[in-house]
Amino acid sequence: MFEIPGAGQPAPGAVPSAGSLGANTHASAPLAVRMRPRTIDELVGQQQLRAAGSPLRRLIEGDQSMSLLLWGPPGTGKTTIAAIVSQQTRRRFVEVSAVAAGVKEVRAAIDGARAELARGGQETVLFVDEVHRFTKAQQDALLPGVENRWVTLIAATTENPFFSVISPLLSRSLLLRLQSLTDDDVAEVIDQALEDERGLAGATALDEDARAHLVRLAGGDARRALTYLEAAAGAAASNGLATIDLATAETAVDQAAVRYDRQGDQHYDVISAFIKSIRGSDPDAALHYLARMIEAGEDPRFIARRLVVHASEDVGLADPTALQAAVAAAQAVQLIGMPEARINLAQATIHLAVAPKSNAVITAIDGAISDVRSGKIGQVPAHLRDAHYGGAKDLGHGKGYSYPHDEPYGVAEQQYLPDVLADASYYRPTALGAEAGVKERWERVRRIVRGG
């Protein structure tokens, strides 16, 4: 349990948390700590949270007591927001780590906050990092403090709180979702650190190639960007260089630059090669392009979306589990984030690459859409029309309809398509993989339905 020095009486055994310190951070602290924003206006990115009238701004500027649940990827400002709330509202700041603390520590923090209020002292901001790691009992222990407003709880999580946070705590907190920083946001963080007196104070320059490399490696994580910048600046200084070049940046973070522009040709070329490698059933090539995208900081949600599309477009019913695997990988990306989700993306990539392939699904729907767009629509056959409203039967709706479950094989001979499309054939299953069984059944059923 950590508490800002000078803000009330520290709990026994408490020590200052470097991540909780504001303007008084010492010069030897990591660059990411020294450059931590002190006000909401210094916060980079998260425009939706900084907008006038937003809940976060009202909490800070209106000095309201309101518990927050911050959900977002690492390095997006969750700890920073907690510190800003404490500093700008002049509350005590107590930090509890979900990794190390138990129910005893949680209750001690809340009891301390309650005692401080009873003495007429400051209100307390209780910051719980990685709240998803708390057990149900530990989360339950937070409820009295939140419900009675003995503390302003700010809980941070990188995981979906609807799965990892108990409902009573969710209902008593305002959920704010933080987004990964854009490349422009990360570049702004780096530029500020280069010039700011708390940072490198203009002592080191950064060339464009090295800057782009650090931005890509950061992957939307401001803390990671500043950590890499500090390492690169140290390497440049030790080599007597006034400017960080690409070679120095690569050496400092022990990672070669991946030539990849998320808005340019490399983005489209690599994702194209990725999908074509899966379509071509080469999992090794597909994994290579997946690795290039991951290392270049490509948005994992974009990769996951492409896998979901590919599962139906190029695998389809040849392996009905392919879509399930792709959707599960997409959900895993949302649930656990990177870098762990790289494993889920790799599993789905391999599954789709080695699966039998069929494009019968996309061919079928595109063929149907083409006919509709060309005007081949026609009237819905009378026996298929809705016959549940008054007067429908007088119009002949539903007359002659055969209920398939009354037939010997659960299939009735009758016309389902409009007259203009009576002989249309969109779905043409292949004999590949599991679709071979679908093909055999569909041919038998089609002969019954169409009377052939």
Side-chain angles (χ1 to χ4, degrees):
M1 184 167 64
F2 304 101
E3 186 169 351
I4 284 186
Q9 297 299 316
V15 295
S17 165
S20 303
L21 301 180
N24 295 326
T25 300
H26 53 86
S28 62
L31 179 62
V33 173
R34 302 200 308 271
M35 287 303 301
R36 177 160 283 156
R38 297 157 295 188
T39 68
I40 189 173
D41 292 319
E42 289 184 0
L43 193 67
V44 174
Q46 315 305 337
Q47 284 81 0
Q48 77 283 7
L49 303 185
R50 297 189 287 115
S54 67
L56 181 59
R57 192 170 283 278
R58 292 202 311 272
L59 170 64
I60 293 172
E61 297 177 350
D63 202 15
Q64 301 174 349
S65 293
M66 184 188 308
S67 290
L68 301 179
L69 187 56
L70 306 177
W71 173 26
T76 51
K78 298 184 292 295
T79 305
T80 294
I81 288 173
I84 289 173
V85 170
S86 172
Q87 292 159 14
Q88 289 201 253
T89 59
R90 300 188 181 280
R91 290 182 170 98
R92 294 168 68 242
F93 185 98
V94 177
E95 180 176 350
V96 173
S97 171
V99 176
V103 173
K104 179 181 177 181
E105 287 78 12
V106 171
R107 287 176 177 163
I110 292 175
D111 289 343
R114 186 180 182 185
E116 181 72 13
L117 284 175
R119 291 196 298 267
Q122 295 173 301
E123 294 183 17
T124 299
V125 171
L126 176 60
F127 177 60
V128 180
D129 198 12
E130 298 189 88
V131 69
H132 57 271
R133 294 180 180 268
F134 265 178
T135 65
K136 181 180 183 299
Q138 289 169 311
Q139 292 187 33
D140 282 336
L142 293 168
L143 290 175
V146 173
E147 196 163 45
N148 294 291
R149 291 193 172 175
W150 297 330
V151 297
T152 295
L153 174 68
I154 301 183
T157 179
T158 56
E159 296 192 4
N160 189 330
F162 293 101
F163 293 101
S164 57
V165 177
I166 60 174
S167 297
L169 195 56
L170 265 175
S171 66
R172 289 167 174 80
S173 306
L174 180 64
L175 177 61
L176 299 181
R177 186 165 185 181
L178 284 70
Q179 304 296 332
S180 292
L181 300 185
T182 65
D183 285 356
D184 289 341
D185 292 334
V186 173
E188 182 180 344
V189 168
I190 290 174
D191 292 342
Q192 288 178 354
L194 287 168
E195 301 298 329
D196 197 289
E197 290 298 323
R198 295 175 296 154
L200 303 181
T204 306
L206 181 68
D207 74 20
E208 282 303 313
D209 285 345
R211 183 173 180 266
H213 180 48
L214 296 179
V215 169
R216 281 195 297 268
L217 290 181
D221 185 328
R223 183 168 51 242
R224 185 186 302 167
L226 293 175
T227 299
Y228 289 162
L229 174 62
E230 186 173 26
S238 65
N239 292 326
L241 301 175
T243 300
I244 303 169
D245 58 17
L246 179 58
T248 303
E250 288 179 314
T251 302
V253 299
D254 194 25
Q255 194 161 351
V258 178
R259 301 298 179 183
Y260 190 93
D261 179 359
R262 277 185 267 177
Q263 303 300 320
D265 291 343
Q266 298 97 331
H267 165 84
Y268 296 105
D269 289 346
V270 173
I271 194 63
S272 175
F274 175 63
I275 292 301
K276 287 172 181 173
S277 297
I278 297 176
R279 182 181 296 140
S281 300
D282 189 334
D284 295 325
L287 287 171
H288 165 75
Y289 293 115
L290 175 62
R292 280 174 65 165
M293 290 187 286
I294 290 172
E295 288 302 294
E298 179 62 84
D299 185 347
R301 296 171 299 178
F302 167 74
I303 302 172
R305 288 195 295 268
R306 293 307 307 163
L307 288 171
V308 172
V309 172
H310 172 75
S312 290
E313 180 179 355
D314 290 305
V315 178
L317 294 177
D319 181 357
T321 67
L323 180 59
Q324 298 171 10
V327 171
Q331 290 175 334
V333 167
Q334 294 284 359
L335 185 63
I336 66 172
M338 298 296 276
E340 291 86 353
R342 76 190 188 284
I343 308 169
N344 309 110
L345 291 172
Q347 179 176 334
T349 296
I350 295 170
H351 187 138
L352 270 60
V354 301
K357 305 298 190 293
S358 169
N359 68 346
V361 171
I362 186 173
T363 301
I365 184 60
D366 285 354
I369 289 173
S370 176
D371 278 351
V372 169
R373 287 177 177 173
S374 66
K376 292 182 181 179
I377 298 175
Q379 295 293 323
V380 174
H383 60 279
L384 298 183
R385 296 180 191 177
D386 181 19
H388 289 88
Y389 61 92
K393 291 185 179 180
D394 295 336
L395 297 173
H397 292 188
K399 185 177 180 180
Y401 173 65
S402 297
Y403 187 55
H405 295 290
D406 291 338
E407 302 301 319
Y409 301 105
V411 180
E413 178 185 345
Q414 63 186 335
Q415 180 179 328
Y416 291 96
L417 281 163
D419 290 340
V420 70
L421 292 166
D423 296 324
S425 178
Y426 299 122
Y427 180 48
R428 297 181 177 90
T430 70
L432 300 171
E435 199 168 37
V438 177
K439 182 179 190 300
E440 182 181 352
R441 170 170 169 73
W442 169 228
E443 287 175 349
R444 294 199 309 268
V445 169
R446 193 175 192 275
R447 284 194 294 270
I448 298 173
V449 172
R450 304 284 174 93

